[in-house]
């Protein structure tokens, strides 16, 4: 199986890559620090549509097919909406929603017979205090996944979200 993991150097991503190593062909996209495991990896700005498309095109050329994409980028700013700056809003939307949109866009254009897993959060469904930014961006990911599943069903592209609660990673350390 040929799998692209975007955000594979983060807390959840690095564990996923370790779990998949040796049993699957992996291509890992990372933002600022490369994975600490010996897999093929490339630096990637997942908020850039062309960069994501190029990554998937490269995987198709080198691996022959892409069976799955896992999109893991995320951010966590916990404060009430009235205390969030416009820069924090844009950064959260870009990290959480735009990266997923870039993956959906590229997969829809380039792939068929592929599973796409997008990261959400349980806070998007249940509502938690001081989670307005993360909830808004990840609820958008969930709605997009449902629509994309219908749009690209004819290409056998399957879209799902994973919505964990707090996970013990460097991002949630504080």
């Amino acid at each position: 199986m040929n799998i692209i993991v975007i955000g594979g150097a983060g807390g959840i991503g690095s564990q996923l890559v370790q779990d998949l190593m040796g049993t699957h062909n992996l291509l890992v996209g990372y933002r600022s620090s490369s994975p600490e495991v010996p897999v093929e990896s490339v630096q990637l700005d997942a908020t850039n549509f062309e960069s994501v498309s190029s990554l998937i095109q490269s995987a198709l050329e080198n691996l022959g097919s892409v069976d799955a994409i896992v999109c893991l980028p995320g951010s966590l700013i916990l404060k009430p909406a009235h205390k969030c700056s416009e820069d924090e809003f844009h950064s959260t939307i870009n990290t959480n929603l735009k990266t997923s949109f870039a993956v959906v866009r590229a997969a829809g254009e380039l792939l068929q017979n592929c599973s796409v897993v997008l990261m959400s959060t349980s806070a998007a469904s249940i509502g938690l205090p001081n989670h307005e930014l993360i909830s808004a961006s990840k609820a958008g990911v969930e709605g997009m996944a449902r629509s994309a599943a219908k749009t690209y069903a004819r290409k056998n592209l399957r879209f799902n979200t994973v919505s964990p609660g707090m996970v013990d990673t460097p991002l949630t350390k504080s």
Side-chain angles (χ1 to χ4, degrees):
M1 209 172 177
N2 301 321
I3 302 172
I4 297 173
V5 179
I6 296 174
I12 293 173
S14 60
Q15 184 62 55
L16 176 64
V17 168
Q18 280 186 334
D19 291 347
L20 295 174
M21 271 181 22
T23 58
H24 297 63
N25 296 318
L26 300 176
L27 174 57
V28 177
Y30 64 92
R31 181 182 54 169
S32 54
S33 60
S34 62
E36 296 182 11
V37 290
V39 296
E40 184 176 351
S41 59
V42 295
Q43 194 164 19
L44 172 73
D45 176 2
T47 65
N48 181 285
F49 291 173
E50 189 55 42
S51 293
V52 173
S53 290
S54 293
L55 176 73
I56 293 172
Q57 188 64 47
S58 175
L60 286 170
E61 291 167 6
N62 294 325
L63 301 173
S65 66
V66 174
D67 301 300
I69 301 173
V70 182
C71 182
L72 298 170
S75 64
L76 186 62
I77 297 174
L78 299 179
K79 57 172 100 170
H82 72 278
K83 292 194 175 187
C84 296
S85 70
E86 192 164 343
D87 285 343
E88 289 171 325
F89 173 82
H90 288 293
S91 174
T92 299
I93 294 297
N94 284 342
T95 301
N96 295 304
L97 181 57
K98 189 175 179 186
T99 57
S100 292
F101 189 90
V103 168
V104 168
R105 181 180 183 276
E109 179 181 6
L110 300 170
L111 299 175
Q112 57 187 359
N113 304 315
C114 181
S115 293
V116 178
V117 178
L118 306 173
M119 185 61 72
S120 185
T121 175
S122 60
S125 300
I126 63 174
L128 294 171
N130 301 319
H131 281 67
E132 288 84 357
L133 272 177
I134 187 78
S135 292
S137 63
K138 294 298 190 174
V141 170
E142 291 181 14
M144 179 177 49
R146 286 189 292 275
S147 291
K150 292 188 180 357
T151 300
Y152 299 110
R154 63 184 163 67
K155 294 180 79 176
N156 197 30
L157 293 177
R158 297 161 310 280
F159 294 87
N160 290 284
T161 59
V162 176
S163 301
M166 292 293 266
V167 177
D168 186 13
T169 66
L171 183 64
T172 63
K173 190 172 184 133
S174 64

